């Protein structure tokens, strides 16, 4: 085993220069070289209690794959990761490792944690570049399961069940699989060609894909059971945008972040003029919100040619919910942060946005979640001149499935209620996971839910069959 590298800092990830990348859609982070990967892998202490694994929603054997990288066995590292994670190249890029595996890393107590995400990305990219074959699925067992939604939760559930020999059909409402991986996360953070490669590996396990099928309209959950499916997993995401409910939101030039990013990503507006789908942003853009989606929208608007892009957020820098890495990248690229500011009215002329009226805020007492509530400052109204406003304050589940599925319990805000240990809903043999259960959350949490549901579906069907013998 290689000698432990006790450097207090991670091996730096090569990146495009900020001013250069702010005008293209190429990937910002360029990935480790083999030498850099080995150097970073030797920072791992190979802890016996493995706190990083317990913090991973899909239970990747983290010390094991890092040990393989440290020894230069990159193919073996890839296979260790793939034993638990169907989408490692994606997770290595977009997981909030700082709040999960890296957040529990022992090295992180006195220095920077091991760069687990960077190493996962390296191993996954190596495996894909070498076209390494995945482990073969078990022989078909003749049992049918339906998966609703081709996002990270649905893909994970479908892949895990296919490995076990189930006849899985995945129903996707759009023409492209991937969900938020394809339409939400920008090309410069997650290249679409890479997502397609990862999806192709899941499909190659034997998953049947039915595109342009809206479950709840084209076919209902109950009708899926009538067609012989023994279980249904719902992973339809949270694609219903929330707005601020202020005057002027109907003007042309006001987008939900969901619509804006979908136009750019799924319709490939980032390739314009090669693509025939331009997206108008004008000179001045304001993005309302402080999460990862807000950062994605702001950085995308900059790359589409906007001269000035602002993040407008009603709390301070310390309260921004976006990943620190994304905030740092946005700041480097010249995105302006208008903090402790809250919009109260969007102004317009001839049907188009011309500006936004805002008030200044200050932080008061903590709210129910423990975050300090923003309070409006008296006499602080001011105006911004704008061409485009992008609203990125969250989104909820589309109500269609809950409205067409009798016996399915939901929360007041629309999310499906599940038993956390199995992801089973109030309706027998119907399971759910991902953003349709939690509201908009992370890719890896959705994958963890899909993985948990697949295991529960397998156990339930085996139990039913043993009882009938």
């Amino acid at each position: 085993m290689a000698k432990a590298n006790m450097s207090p800092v991670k091996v730096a990830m090569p990146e495009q220069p900020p001013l250069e990348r702010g005008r293209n859609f190429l990937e910002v982070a360029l990935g480790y070289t083999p030498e850099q990967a080995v150097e970073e892998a030797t920072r791992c202490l190979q802890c016996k209690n493995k706190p990083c694994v317990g913090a991973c929603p899909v239970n990747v054997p983290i010390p094991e794959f890092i040990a393989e990288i440290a020894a230069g066995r990159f193919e073996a590292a890839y296979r260790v990761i793939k034993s638990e994670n169907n989408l490692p190249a994606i997770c290595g890029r977009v997981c909030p490792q700082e709040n999960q595996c890296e957040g529990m890393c022992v090295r992180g107590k006195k220095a920077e944690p091991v760069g687990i995400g960077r190493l996962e990305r390296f191993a996954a990219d190596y495996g894909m570049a070498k076209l390494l074959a995945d482990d073969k699925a078990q022989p078909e067992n003749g049992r049918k399961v339906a998966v609703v939604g081709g996002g990270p939760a649905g893909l994970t559930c479908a892949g895990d069940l296919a490995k076990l020999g189930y006849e899985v059909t995945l129903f996707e409402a759009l023409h492209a699989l991937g969900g938020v991986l394809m339409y939400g996360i920008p090309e410069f953070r997650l290249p679409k060609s890479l997502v397609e490669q990862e999806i192709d590996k899941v499909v190659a396990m034997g998953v049947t894909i039915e595109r342009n099928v809206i479950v709840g309209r084209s076919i209902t959950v109950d009708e899926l059971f009538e067609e012989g499916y023994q279980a249904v997993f719902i992973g339809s995401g949270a694609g219903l945008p929330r707005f601020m409910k202020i005057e002027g939101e109907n003007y042309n030039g006001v987008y939900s972040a969901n619509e804006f990013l979908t136009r750019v990503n799924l319709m490939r507006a980032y390739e314009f003029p090669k693509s025939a789908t331009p997206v108008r942003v004008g000179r001045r853009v304001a993005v309302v919100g402080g999460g990862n989606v807000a950062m994605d929208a702001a950085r995308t608007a900059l790359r589409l040619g906007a001269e000035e892009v602002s993040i407008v957020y009603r709390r301070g820098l310390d309260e921004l919910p976006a990943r620190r890495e994304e905030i740092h990248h946005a700041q480097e690229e010249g995105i302006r942060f208008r903090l402790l500011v809250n919009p109260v009215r969007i102004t317009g002329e001839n049907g188009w946005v011309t500006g936004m009226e805002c008030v200044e805020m200050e932080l008061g007492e903590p709210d129910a979640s423990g975050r300090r509530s923003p309070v409006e400052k008296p006499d602080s109204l001011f105006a911004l001149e704008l061409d485009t406003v992008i609203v990125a304050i969250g989104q909820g589940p589309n109500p269609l499935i809950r409205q067409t599925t009798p016996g399915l319990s939901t929360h007041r805000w629309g999310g499906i209620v599940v038993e956390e240990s199995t992801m089973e809903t109030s309706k027998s043999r119907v399971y759910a996971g991902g953003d349709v259960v939690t509201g908009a959350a992370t890719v890896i949490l959705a994958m963890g839910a899909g993985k948990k549901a697949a295991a529960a579906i397998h156990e339930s069907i085996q139990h039913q069959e043993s009882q009938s013998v």
Side-chain angles (χ1 to χ4, degrees):
M1 183 176 175
K3 184 179 178 181
N5 172 7
M6 299 309 294
S7 170
V9 297
K10 298 176 184 176
V11 174
M13 174 81 84
E15 297 177 346
Q16 282 196 72
L19 294 180
E20 180 180 322
R21 70 183 188 235
R23 294 301 175 186
N24 69 59
F25 278 87
L26 301 176
E27 198 166 7
V28 170
L30 304 178
Y32 279 157
T33 64
E35 294 76 19
Q36 289 170 327
V38 170
E39 182 183 353
E40 180 60 26
T42 56
R43 293 186 66 236
C44 178
L45 300 177
Q46 294 294 314
C47 307
K48 290 183 179 180
N49 60 348
K50 305 176 184 180
C52 53
V53 178
C56 174
V58 296
N59 299 310
V60 169
I62 293 168
E64 285 87 341
F65 92 75
I66 291 179
E68 298 291 4
I69 292 176
R73 295 189 291 264
F74 305 143
E75 179 176 339
Y78 173 76
R79 297 203 182 283
V80 170
I81 298 170
K82 285 288 287 186
S83 69
E84 296 293 339
N85 185 349
N86 289 331
L87 307 172
I90 291 169
C91 290
R93 286 166 166 81
V94 302
C95 272
Q97 289 96 1
E98 65 274 17
N99 298 326
Q100 294 173 161
C101 54
E102 293 184 19
M104 294 300 293
C105 178
V106 172
R107 290 297 305 268
K109 292 181 179 179
K110 295 184 178 180
E112 286 190 354
V114 175
I116 298 169
R118 298 175 181 183
L119 292 172
E120 180 177 44
R121 168 182 167 158
F122 169 80
D125 287 358
Y126 178 90
M128 295 176 76
K130 297 293 185 181
L131 301 177
L132 298 178
D134 292 342
D135 293 336
K136 292 183 178 180
Q138 294 180 19
E140 292 185 6
N141 60 25
R143 308 294 182 259
K144 293 174 62 177
V145 177
V147 172
V148 180
L155 288 168
T156 300
C157 185
D160 278 13
L161 287 170
K163 283 181 184 177
L164 293 169
Y166 286 88
E167 184 182 329
V168 182
T169 302
L170 190 153
F171 298 90
E172 169 56 47
L174 299 176
H175 66 277
L177 293 179
V180 69
L181 305 173
M182 286 297 286
Y183 66 72
I185 302 173
E187 176 77 6
F188 55 83
R189 279 216 298 133
L190 187 61
K192 300 299 163 269
S193 59
L194 180 146
V195 177
E196 289 166 351
Q197 280 183 274
E198 292 272 58
I199 291 171
D200 287 346
K201 283 181 170 286
V202 174
V203 174
M205 296 177 193
V207 178
T208 299
I209 308 299
E210 295 286 348
R211 294 176 171 82
N212 302 307
V213 176
I214 302 174
V215 174
R217 194 66 81 219
S218 307
I219 190 170
T220 66
V221 169
D222 285 339
E223 287 169 342
L224 289 172
F225 285 121
E226 291 171 9
E227 292 193 0
Y229 292 99
Q230 292 179 259
V232 176
F233 174 77
I234 301 172
S236 51
L240 186 66
R242 296 192 179 105
F243 285 90
M244 296 178 285
K245 299 180 181 178
I246 62 175
E247 182 184 342
E249 285 188 302
N250 290 329
Y251 281 121
N252 292 315
V254 178
Y255 296 94
S256 71
N258 182 285
E259 176 194 2
F260 178 71
L261 292 170
T262 298
R263 287 189 182 204
V264 175
N265 290 327
L266 205 56
M267 302 174 76
R268 298 188 184 270
Y270 58 86
E271 294 181 345
F272 185 80
K274 176 182 173 183
S275 161
T277 312
V279 173
R280 176 190 181 275
V281 294
R283 291 177 49 235
R284 295 157 300 195
V285 177
V287 179
V288 182
N292 291 327
V293 174
M295 301 302 146
D296 286 344
R299 297 171 68 198
T300 296
L302 181 72
R303 284 159 171 78
L304 290 176
E307 295 176 13
E308 180 181 298
V309 182
S310 299
I311 292 285
V312 177
Y313 184 60
R314 62 181 186 157
R315 290 183 167 91
L317 183 64
D318 291 341
E319 290 75 35
L320 280 168
R323 293 182 67 186
R324 296 297 105 180
E325 181 180 67
E326 302 309 319
I327 295 169
H328 174 66
H329 281 158
Q331 290 172 326
E332 281 189 326
E333 291 167 10
I335 304 297
R336 181 172 181 177
F337 283 71
R338 299 181 185 270
L339 303 174
L340 293 169
V341 169
N342 195 43
V344 294
R345 177 173 174 256
I346 297 173
T347 57
E349 190 175 294
N350 299 322
W352 288 88
V353 170
T354 58
M356 188 164 66
E357 293 180 353
C358 304
V359 291
E360 296 179 11
M361 310 293 285
E362 56 188 0
L363 295 180
E365 296 301 316
D367 60 18
S369 67
R371 300 171 75 197
R372 294 175 64 192
S373 300
V375 179
E376 180 180 333
K377 284 185 179 180
D379 304 318
S380 62
L381 184 70
F382 67 97
L384 298 174
E385 292 186 8
L386 298 169
D387 302 297
T388 300
V389 175
I390 302 170
V391 182
I393 59 172
Q395 49 206 41
N398 189 303
L400 188 57
I401 287 180
R402 72 173 184 265
Q403 290 172 352
T404 59
T405 309
L408 192 67
S409 296
T410 59
H411 298 284
R412 290 181 62 185
W413 54 270
I416 296 175
V417 177
V418 299
E419 167 56 51
E420 289 190 14
S421 62
T422 62
M423 308 311 291
E424 188 168 16
T425 70
S426 58
K427 189 175 179 70
S428 178
R429 297 186 293 152
V430 176
Y431 300 74
D435 291 359
V436 74
V437 169
T438 60
T442 62
V443 168
I444 192 65
L445 285 176
M447 291 175 61
K451 192 175 187 66
K452 189 185 295 183
I457 289 169
H458 177 54
E459 183 177 343
S460 175
I461 290 177
Q462 282 191 318
H463 177 72
Q464 291 168 23
E465 292 180 349
S466 67
Q467 293 293 99
S468 63
V469 174

